[in-house]
């Protein structure tokens, strides 16, 4: 199987990018990161890309540039590396159909909440303010809405009374770092289908916790994912 060609879009820190690159390097993710793109100049994430010798490109929006014009420019740049899928890993812009139509059902996002709860910005602060006992992360396909696309995998994280947005974000981030490469490996193995806005996963008869597995763990201790 040829490795899945991935483009990754970032805006900042890049810890999910790092985890993806490490999973590729370690053989846990049968993919190849063929380009890393940012809407901001020199984000910390680029450092991880450079260490893995992945080309980086910044596409900054002009002050008066319309969203559609920017998205078309970004899509053109990303198409240049011929990706089979695009991962939004902390990319801070909402992408319009102009971008999405260039990669139909092939754009994935990682969101730090259990969607459809707490869409949009500051999901961890929203969870703390709402007093929920559990939150977590979601990897989903991107559609034209904000954090509304078909859900691939979710992992639960507890929320404690003393949590701040920051302490919860750190707990959720650890879950993201497992869930994101796992979802990408399922995509790489051709196990994901979208039907009626739901993602069907072909587990091929395998049980959660099966010892095989380029996907490191099918299920974590909270019972998430299945
Ligand atoms: C993550 O919390 C992700 O869920 C959200 O943005 C953050 C990106 O973090 N979409 P990083 O840049 O991958 O460290």
């Amino acid at each position: 199987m040829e490795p899945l060609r991935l483009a990754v879009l970032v805006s900042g820190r890049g810890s999910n990018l790092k985890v993806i690159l490490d999973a590729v390097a370690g053989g846990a993710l049968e993919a190849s990161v063929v380009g890393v793109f940012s809407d901001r100049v020199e984000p910390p994430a680029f450092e991880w890309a450079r260490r893995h010798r992945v080309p980086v490109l910044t596409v900054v929006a002009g002050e008066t540039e319309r969203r559609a014009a920017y998205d078309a420019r970004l899509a053109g740049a990303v198409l240049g590396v011929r990706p089979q899928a695009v991962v939004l890993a902390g990319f801070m812009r909402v992408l319009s159909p102009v971008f999405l139509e260039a990669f139909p059902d092939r754009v994935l996002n990682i969101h730090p909440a259990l969607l459809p709860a707490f869409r949009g910005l500051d999901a961890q602060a929203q969870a703390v303010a709402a007093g929920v006992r559990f939150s977590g992360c979601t990897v989903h396909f991107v559609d034209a809405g904000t954090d509304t696309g078909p859900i691939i995998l979710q992992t639960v994280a507890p929320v404690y009374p003393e949590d701040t947005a920051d302490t919860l974000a750190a707990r959720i981030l650890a879950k993201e770092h497992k869930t994101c490469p796992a979802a990408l490996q399922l995509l790489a193995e051709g196990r994901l289908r979208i039907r009626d806005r739901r993602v069907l996963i072909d587990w091929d008869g395998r049980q959660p916790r099966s010892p095989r597995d380029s996907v490191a763990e099918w299920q974590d201790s909270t019972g998430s994912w299945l």
Side-chain angles (χ1 to χ4, degrees):
M1 194 170 65
E2 284 293 301
L4 182 75
R5 296 175 63 85
L6 292 177
V8 183
L9 275 52
V10 298
S11 296
R13 178 178 56 185
S15 69
N16 279 289
L17 171 66
K18 176 183 187 300
V19 163
I20 292 167
L21 290 164
D22 288 347
V24 168
L29 173 55
E30 291 159 280
S32 155
V33 179
V34 291
V36 172
F37 298 83
S38 171
D39 60 330
R40 302 196 182 160
V41 176
E42 212 43 46
F46 275 7
E47 179 58 25
W48 302 120
R50 291 203 180 95
R51 283 193 200 181
H52 288 262
R53 303 194 183 289
V54 174
V56 298
L57 188 69
T58 303
V59 185
V60 177
E63 259 175 46
T64 58
E65 188 174 23
R66 287 179 186 274
R67 193 154 77 113
Y70 175 83
D71 284 3
R73 215 153 52 78
L74 180 66
V78 176
L79 281 167
V81 299
R82 293 184 296 107
Q84 294 166 292
V86 179
V87 186
L88 311 184
F91 186 67
M92 296 308 289
R93 293 177 64 98
V94 175
L95 292 167
S96 66
V98 172
F99 183 91
L100 298 175
E101 282 162 14
F103 309 96
D105 292 340
R106 284 275 150 170
V107 182
L108 287 78
N109 182 43
I110 172 103
H111 183 76
L114 295 176
L115 293 172
F118 313 131
R119 289 158 36 188
L121 291 176
D122 300 323
Q124 304 93 333
Q126 292 184 53
V128 168
V132 293
R133 304 293 186 203
F134 294 94
S135 188
C137 67
T138 303
V139 180
H140 63 97
F141 286 110
V142 176
D143 66 10
T146 302
D147 303 321
T148 53
I151 290 167
I152 302 169
L153 293 178
Q154 294 186 300
T155 299
V156 172
V159 184
Y160 300 121
E162 63 275 19
D163 266 330
T164 62
D166 286 348
T167 58
L168 178 59
R171 193 173 309 119
I172 291 175
L173 193 65
K175 304 292 187 182
E176 294 181 33
H177 290 166
K178 292 193 164 193
T179 310
C180 185
L184 291 171
Q185 177 61 17
L186 290 171
L187 183 71
E189 292 181 14
R191 296 181 184 280
L192 304 181
R193 301 270 174 282
I194 302 175
R195 191 184 301 156
D196 299 334
R197 294 193 39 78
R198 294 169 61 131
V199 176
L200 306 181
I201 302 177
D202 174 9
W203 293 103
D204 196 21
R206 276 183 271 165
Q207 296 302 310
R209 297 193 176 288
S210 145
R212 175 211 182 262
D213 290 342
S214 33
V215 174
E217 299 173 39
W218 293 111
Q219 190 183 39
D220 80 356
S221 60
T222 66
S224 306
W225 293 10
L226 292 178

